[in-house]
């Protein structure tokens, strides 16, 4: 049987920390599966091209059977030409003492122009994940500049927050991470995000039982998850990289290969108005992937405690969007 045509995967910021931690796993088939060949396009700023060339040399040295080609490019138009997947990682990372909001101005112009290019030259089935911060709003900006691409194909990474929440809940319950399901991250990939365990399954118990310990929930679990990025930045002196790459791969793999029918994960998608979240805001939701499309898991009961936290994060998203679109 002949193998499928290579999927064209464009990785922006490919020489950066997250890009470097992603591309070898993509080449190894961990993102699109063991039967899908890939053609990698590494997009970088001109000054980082030498580092990207070095990464391409190492990819060569991996002798990955699925990797059909690697191109290093500083021209977005060439990099996205015919692309099936866009991993929009390249951005200015937050450095110590800098608030995520400060990144908005610096980064939204990058995502506006990449959205335009994607609209013009990417494959009809292009699927985009924005990792570069502020990821939700950058995804909204890119989508707004790509009117011919369905908005649902522009997503942002909150899977890292989801995985962090799963790990913290597993530690609390003293169970394996595999025993945790149905956790949800709502809202923005920022300190206002709301990691919701009221619907979670924790082995044979319910997440609501753990949430009943309000002191742990409010003073420990929620801030640990929501401020984990800052804690890692403080500890490492650089923002999370391998865990962010891992979550990016989880996100795209589940998008393409699907999620179990009675479970869900978290991803930031353009809101359809579900759960009262204004249409078009790129917010994190409980999601399932069915036939290669993300669907929001609807109908979950949202209690007062959760509603207040979702609303606070959505208010921040609205403010970010207003700042990005009214510059
Ligand atoms: P990094 O500085 O190590 O790498 C960024 C790379 O992007 C650099 O090599 C830079 O040259 C490149 N770049 C910048 N602008 C570009 C452009 N216009 N086109 C192509 N390449 C460009 O940063 P990193 O640690 O890899 O982080 C990347 C981004 O991901 C940051 O914005 C960071 O805040 C964000 N992040 C998001 C999450 C999340 O969960 N959503 C988690 C961690 C980090
Ligand atoms: C993270 O959650 O680790 C990052 O988004 C932190 C950051 O601001 O780069």
């Amino acid at each position: 049987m002949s193998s499928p045509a290579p999927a064209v995967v464009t990785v922006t910021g490919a020489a950066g920390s997250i890009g470097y931690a992603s591309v070898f796993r993509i080449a190894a088939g961990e993102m699109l599966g063991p039967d899908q060949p890939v053609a990698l396009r590494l997009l970088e700023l001109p000054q980082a091209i030498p580092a990207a060339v070095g990464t391409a040399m190492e990819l060569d040295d991996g002798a990955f059977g699925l990797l059909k080609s690697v191109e290093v490019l500083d021209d977005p138009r060439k990099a996205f030409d015919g692309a099936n997947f866009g991993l929009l990682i390249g951005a200015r990372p937050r450095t110590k003492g800098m608030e995520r909001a400060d990144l908005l101005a610096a980064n939204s112009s990058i995502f506006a122009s990449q959205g335009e290019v994607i609209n013009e030259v990417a494959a009809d089935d292009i699927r985009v994940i924005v990792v570069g911060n502020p990821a939700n709003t950058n995804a909204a900006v890119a989508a707004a500049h790509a009117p011919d691409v369905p908005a649902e194909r522009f997503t942002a990474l909150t899977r890292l927050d989801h995985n962090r929440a799963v790990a913290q809940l597993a530690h609390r319950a003293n169970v394996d991470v595999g025993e945790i399901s149905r956790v949800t991250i709502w809202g923005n990939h920022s300190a206002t995000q709301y990691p919701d365990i009221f619907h979670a399954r924790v082995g044979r118990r319910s997440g609501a039982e753990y949430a009943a310990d309000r002191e742990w929930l409010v003073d420990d679990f929620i801030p640990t998850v929501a401020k984990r990025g800052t804690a890692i930045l403080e500890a490492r002196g650089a923002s999370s990289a391998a865990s962010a790459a891992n979550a990016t791969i989880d996100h795209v793999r589940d998008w393409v290969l699907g999620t179990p029918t009675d479970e869900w994960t978290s991803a930031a998608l353009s809101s359809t108005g579900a759960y009262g979240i204004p249409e078009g805001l790129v917010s994190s939701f409980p999601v399932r992937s069915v036939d290669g499309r993300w669907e929001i898991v609807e109908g979950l009961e949202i209690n007062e405690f959760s509603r207040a936290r979702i609303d606070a994060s959505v208010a921040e998203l609205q403010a970010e969007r207003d700042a990005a679109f009214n510059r």
Side-chain angles (χ1 to χ4, degrees), residues 179-241:
E179 293 193 53
I180 309 277
S181 63
R182 298 189 172 196
V183 163
T184 303
I185 303 296
W186 297 93
N188 202 2
H189 170 68
S190 77
T192 68
Q193 68 177 264
Y194 171 50
D196 177 358
I197 60 168
F198 282 95
H199 306 279
R201 288 175 176 164
V202 185
R204 292 183 181 182
R205 299 177 67 181
S206 97
E209 286 180 48
Y210 291 91
D213 178 354
R214 284 292 199 272
E215 199 178 318
W216 170 77
L217 184 69
V218 172
D219 297 336
D220 186 342
F221 176 75
I222 294 174
T224 298
V225 174
K227 296 180 183 167
R228 188 72 161 181
T230 302
I232 288 171
L233 184 57
E234 292 292 329
R236 260 172 48 84
S239 73
S240 56

Side-chain angles (χ1 to χ4, degrees), residues 236-257:
R236 260 172 48 84
S239 73
S240 56
S243 57
N246 180 59
T248 304
I249 285 168
D250 284 350
H251 175 112
V252 178
R253 185 200 58 231
D254 285 357
W255 195 355
V256 173
L257 301 176

Side-chain angles (χ1 to χ4, degrees), residues 11-20 43-48 51 73-74 76 88-94 100 103 107 110-111 113-114 130-136 138 156-161 164 189 236 238-241 243-245 247-248:
V11 180
T12 79
S17 305
I18 300 173
Y20 186 77
L43 178 67
E44 259 298 351
L45 296 176
Q47 62 268 28
L73 299 155
D74 63 6
L88 273 49
I89 299 170
R92 187 176 158 197
R94 184 163 63 118
R100 288 174 74 266
L103 291 177
N107 281 325
I110 296 177
F111 290 87
S113 65
Q114 288 181 354
V130 175
V131 177
N133 279 321
N136 302 53
N138 288 339
L157 185 71
T158 53
R159 182 61 172 266
L160 177 56
D161 309 294
R164 288 167 171 166
H189 170 68
R236 260 172 48 84
S239 73
S240 56
S243 57
T248 304

